[in-house]
Amino acid sequence: MLNIQKATTLTGTSTVETSTGNVAVVSMYASIAEDGNPNITKTILDRENYLKNRAAVQEDMAQFEDEAWALVQ
């Protein structure tokens, strides 16, 4: 028996400008299942630059979550 489940996915990356160029600091992933249940994951890719730019990165994460929750409602 085949069961197919549909989901909407979002991906995002929070980047910061450093002396060596643009650096990815946090990777974000959201999956909204067909029944509306969300799964939102954030992964810190660069701890040092995350700590140095925490406020800006957290703004990006909040904006990403807002986009994901907008799909749920």
Side-chain angles (χ1 to χ4, degrees), residues 22-56:
N22 212 18
V23 175
V25 178
V26 172
S27 174
M28 295 163 278
Y29 172 84
S31 177
I32 292 84
E34 198 170 23
D35 63 5
N37 288 326
N39 178 17
I40 301 171
T41 304
K42 300 171 217 154
T43 305
I44 296 174
L45 304 171
D46 185 328
R47 180 181 179 271
E48 182 179 335
N49 279 308
Y50 172 78
L51 293 173
K52 286 180 183 176
N53 300 280
R54 188 173 175 187

Side-chain angles (χ1 to χ4, degrees), residues 14 53-64 66:
S14 179
N53 300 280
R54 188 173 175 187
V57 173
Q58 286 183 336
E59 285 180 29
D60 288 348
M61 291 190 298
Q63 183 180 354
F64 182 83
D66 288 346

